[in-house]
Amino acid sequence: MNHNDAIRLFAKMLQNVEKWMDKAAAHAKAKSFEVDVLAQARLAPDAYPFVRQVQAACDQAKFAAAYLGGKQPPAHPDTEQTFAELRQRIQKCLSFLETVQAKDLAGAEDRKVAPPWLGGKWLRADDYLMHVAIPNFFFHATMTYAILRHNGVELGKMDYVGSLPTKEG
Amino acid sequence: MNHNDAIRLFAKMLQNVEKWMDKAAAHAKAKSFEVDVLAQARLAPDAYPFVRQVQAACDQAKFAAAYLGGKQPPAHPDTEQTFAELRQRIQKCLSFLETVQAKDLAGAEDRKVAPPWLGGKWLRADDYLMHVAIPNFFFHATMTYAILRHNGVELGKMDYVGSLPTKEG
């Protein structure tokens, strides 16, 4: 596993999120409610709603790709309110991830990563990936899934994991 | 990031889970309820309860360490019912993770991983780590956190992330 693999993994998971949203839309249709109701659903009164969980998952992937690849992160304002807008947000994020390729990420291990919230301190790029990007990305992806699951959308573990590059023989 | 870093990350997160359980115990005491009530809490009627989420997080870490390190995974039967028992389960898992060291994990990238549930197919060790172990480990760790959060335990993002190896200068 290397930095490029991690960015591709984030991209795959964001595509999985879109498929969970498809299932949420089908569930809403079957139950005759507006799917965008789920955009504001949350697991606790002071926890992020679905819309913010998707935005945060996208941001974790975007900032990881930018910091690890030595690129400027594009601004993606958190203005989305609907499932349709969230799909566009995911697509914007995926498009940026595509611009950060293996050659940009090669040898990034020791690059210094100093996001503003560290207040002047920094992390080695490897540490940023392991202690910040991966845990936080999967936190928000899983919370996205959990909110839908809690609201009755029929999702199973294979929807979460998505396709696997299995081999035979 | 390499395989050894991933196993150490799982160990750190399991230690974080224990701290969330400390906060759950404090919350239960403040609200005068038995903390083990939370062991059976779940986010949906057909989702795993807290106890099973902790067991599953431990298993993802255990199997990843065993498969990637070329060791036999020890049997850890899912018999826990209480917070006290779950703490012992986490400790058993951490003890096993300690036995799988960098030298065991070095050069594991192309080792074939063929867990029984793949029905005869297999994954490259790198693919197992990226597509199975990391997503599933963080899924169950986050669900553990989400169940407590949903039940009023005061947890914040820094409880989830835990300590960071920041540097200055």
Side-chain angles (χ1 to χ4, degrees):
Chain A
M1 175 159 186
N2 58 37
H3 290 204
N4 187 51
D5 289 339
I7 302 304
R8 289 334 123 201
L9 175 59
F10 294 159
K12 170 191 158 177
M13 292 300 301
L14 289 173
Q15 290 167 321
N16 291 354
V17 171
E18 289 191 285
K19 291 174 194 150
W20 311 338
M21 291 171 68
D22 292 342
K23 286 208 168 182
H27 176 75
K29 190 172 180 189
K31 298 281 182 185
S32 301
F33 71 86
E34 177 53 57
V35 71
D36 290 330
V37 169
L38 293 175
Q40 292 305 323
R42 60 186 95 212
L43 290 179
D46 58 344
Y48 282 172
F50 182 87
V51 64
R52 192 75 194 81
Q53 301 286 1
V54 175
Q55 290 163 344
C58 287
D59 274 0
Q60 289 291 337
K62 178 185 80 173
F63 284 115
Y67 294 153
L68 302 177
K71 305 238 180 189
Q72 189 67 24
H76 291 164
D78 294 330
T79 53
E80 295 84 6
Q81 297 286 334
T82 65
F83 268 49
E85 289 166 348
L86 284 175
R87 289 177 192 279
Q88 290 172 12
R89 171 68 174 263
I90 291 172
Q91 287 305 318
K92 274 196 297 188
C93 182
L94 290 172
S95 295
F96 174 67
L97 298 186
E98 274 296 308
T99 70
V100 182
Q101 284 299 317
K103 64 176 166 35
D104 303 307
L105 295 158
E109 293 76 6
D110 291 314
R111 193 169 270 162
K112 287 187 182 185
V113 175
W117 56 270
L118 276 182
K121 297 182 185 178
W122 56 276
L123 287 162
R124 287 178 56 241
D126 255 14
D127 288 334
Y128 180 82
L129 178 61
M130 185 167 75
H131 291 275
V132 176
I134 287 178
N136 282 332
F137 176 83
F138 282 101
F139 179 89
H140 294 294
T142 301
M143 284 298 190
T144 297
Y145 177 101
I147 291 169
L148 297 182
R149 193 75 172 67
H150 180 63
N151 280 277
V153 179
E154 286 197 18
L155 293 172
K157 198 58 170 303
M158 291 316 292
D159 295 303
Y160 173 76
V161 171
S163 63
L164 293 177
T166 51
K167 299 182 192 301
E168 296 187 60
Chain B
M1 175 162 184
N2 57 38
H3 290 204
N4 187 50
D5 289 339
I7 302 304
R8 288 334 122 201
L9 174 60
F10 294 159
K12 170 190 159 178
M13 291 300 301
L14 288 173
Q15 290 167 321
N16 290 353
V17 170
E18 289 191 285
K19 290 175 195 150
W20 312 338
M21 291 171 68
D22 293 341
K23 286 207 168 182
H27 176 74
K29 190 172 181 187
K31 298 282 181 184
S32 301
F33 70 86
E34 177 53 56
V35 71
D36 290 330
V37 169
L38 293 174
Q40 293 305 321
R42 59 185 96 212
L43 291 178
D46 57 344
Y48 281 173
F50 182 86
V51 63
R52 192 75 193 80
Q53 301 287 0
V54 175
Q55 290 164 343
C58 287
D59 274 0
Q60 289 292 337
K62 178 185 80 174
F63 285 114
Y67 293 155
L68 302 177
K71 304 239 182 189
Q72 190 66 24
H76 290 164
D78 294 329
T79 52
E80 295 84 6
Q81 297 285 335
T82 66
F83 268 49
E85 290 167 346
L86 284 175
R87 289 178 192 278
Q88 291 173 11
R89 173 67 173 262
I90 292 171
Q91 287 305 318
K92 274 196 297 188
C93 182
L94 291 172
S95 295
F96 174 66
L97 298 186
E98 274 297 308
T99 69
V100 182
Q101 284 298 318
K103 65 176 166 35
D104 303 306
L105 295 158
E109 292 77 6
D110 291 314
R111 194 169 268 162
K112 288 186 180 184
V113 175
W117 56 270
L118 277 181
K121 296 182 184 176
W122 55 276
L123 288 163
R124 286 177 57 239
D126 255 14
D127 288 334
Y128 181 83
L129 178 61
M130 185 166 73
H131 291 274
V132 176
I134 287 177
N136 281 332
F137 176 83
F138 282 101
F139 179 90
H140 294 294
T142 302
M143 284 297 190
T144 297
Y145 177 101
I147 290 170
L148 297 182
R149 196 74 173 68
H150 180 62
N151 280 279
V153 179
E154 286 196 18
L155 294 172
K157 199 59 172 300
M158 290 316 295
D159 295 303
Y160 173 75
V161 170
S163 63
L164 293 177
T166 51
K167 299 182 192 299
E168 295 187 60

